[in-house]
Structure formats: structure tokens, C-alpha cells
Amino acid sequence: MHKPYTFLSIPILMSFLASCAGNVAAEANEIPPTNTPEKVQSTATPEVVPQDPPATCLITVPQDPPFTPPAPYDALGFEGDFWYGSNSLWTAVPQSGTWRGLPLNSGGYTQKVFWWRDGYVWNEEPEPNLIVTGERLDAKAPPLKASKATNAYASDIGSAMLVGVDIPTAGCWKITGRYNDEAELSFVVWVAQ
């Protein structure tokens, strides 16, 4: 069973983000550590969908030839994921095409999405001008809600942009990231319980 982004497990991610915030504050004296938000129990009844994407959900697959990011990112990678995009904007997409087992809260299914671009430096642009949107493709649903982009850095991810999303329902979702007016990238993923 594929876990949603191994590095995005919520308890591990929150611990990672808290330590990153502390490291950033210690290193740059610009960004203070933040408290981890409390989990909100969902009052919504989750929609029942298949665990694997149906043929009607055209999940994103690796490019042909596969995209390889520029150095030093070419040496990084995440188990169960592949790089997708271009030097202008890329992300890591699950090989299975599925985000499964995401926490469900009052806003929907929560996921953290890392984005990269050639030349992005986390401590020079702590609040990157990255806007993330999303729409369900297989049924009517409210659009996903995305946090304001922030910076992230660690030796295993390099200099990255991070956005938290709440996906209101399970199903087939197209996620789009836009950086300034310079780059846009979309991918399709299946969200299951």
C-alpha cells in the first residue's frame, strides 16, 4: 500500500516543519518557530470511493523521457514518487497516482505539497509567490483550499516551496501551481480514504 508522500506523513511532517522553522529562525533570524495547529475532528461523512483510481481518472504519469531536475535536486528523490514538471516549476507525484489515508478534518483531506523551481532560494524568498488551486474532475465539489506558500529547506529536499491543501472530497483532483506569471504546472491525482 502506497503511503501518501512518505515525507508528508502528518505527525512526521508537523515535527519536521517545526524543526525547520526553528532551524530557519536560528540560521536566518528572520522566521520564528510556529506552533503546530491542533487537529480538528471532522464532522463530515467521507465519500466512499474506490481505493485505486478508475480508468476515467487520468492520473498524472511520468513524462517520457522522465523529467530530471537540475543539480543538486537530481540527486534527491522520494520513495514511491517521481519528479514531474520542468526547470521552471516541478513537484513530486506518487507513482500510484493516489493520495490515500490523508487526515480528514473539517476542511477536507489535508495534504502538504512541495514545489521546486530552478533558482529558488528558500531564505531569499520566504513567502514565494506560488498560488495553488484545485478542482475535482469526476464530480461537482467545492474547490480545494490552499494555504499561502511558505519556504522549506532540508538536506533531503533542498530549497523548496510548501503549500498545505484541504481537499473537500475524495475523488479525481487536478492540482495546479502558478509561480508569478512565469510558470504553471498541473497534475491529476486520485484522493482515496
Side-chain angles (χ1 to χ4, degrees):
M1 174 184 264
H2 174 71
K3 293 181 184 176
Y5 286 83
T6 303
F7 61 93
L8 296 181
S9 167
I10 296 302
I12 293 170
L13 176 67
M14 296 314 283
S15 172
F16 167 77
L17 289 177
S19 73
C20 282
N23 290 341
V24 170
E27 292 174 16
N29 291 326
E30 293 179 9
I31 303 171
T34 57
N35 292 331
T36 303
E38 293 183 29
K39 285 187 177 179
V40 177
Q41 289 294 340
S42 173
T43 55
T45 303
E47 180 179 350
V48 177
V49 298
Q51 287 297 301
D52 296 314
T56 55
C57 182
L58 301 177
I59 58 170
T60 297
V61 296
Q63 294 154 266
D64 186 17
F67 169 67
T68 301
Y73 303 99
D74 58 340
L76 304 176
F78 306 104
E79 185 179 334
D81 298 328
F82 62 90
W83 294 122
Y84 183 75
S86 69
N87 287 0
S88 298
L89 190 62
W90 74 89
T91 191
V93 176
Q95 290 282 352
S96 67
T98 302
W99 285 341
R100 185 178 291 120
L102 300 179
L104 180 62
N105 63 42
S106 61
Y109 296 94
T110 299
Q111 179 65 299
K112 305 290 185 193
V113 186
F114 287 90
W115 303 78
W116 294 264
R117 62 179 275 106
D118 193 18
Y120 174 75
V121 180
W122 66 277
N123 58 356
E124 292 178 7
E125 192 180 354
E127 293 182 354
N129 191 16
L130 174 69
I131 305 297
V132 174
T133 58
E135 63 177 322
R136 186 167 177 186
L137 301 178
D138 62 331
K140 289 187 178 187
L144 69 74
K145 293 181 181 176
S147 70
K148 188 173 182 177
T150 189
N151 61 351
Y153 178 84
S155 60
D156 61 341
I157 64 168
S159 192
M161 298 173 277
L162 175 62
V163 174
V165 297
D166 283 329
I167 305 163
T169 67
C172 189
W173 284 85
K174 178 181 177 183
I175 314 293
T176 301
R178 290 181 189 87
Y179 181 83
N180 290 328
D181 290 325
E182 303 168 28
E184 180 174 311
L185 177 67
S186 295
F187 65 94
V188 176
V189 67
W190 181 253
V191 177
Q193 291 80 16

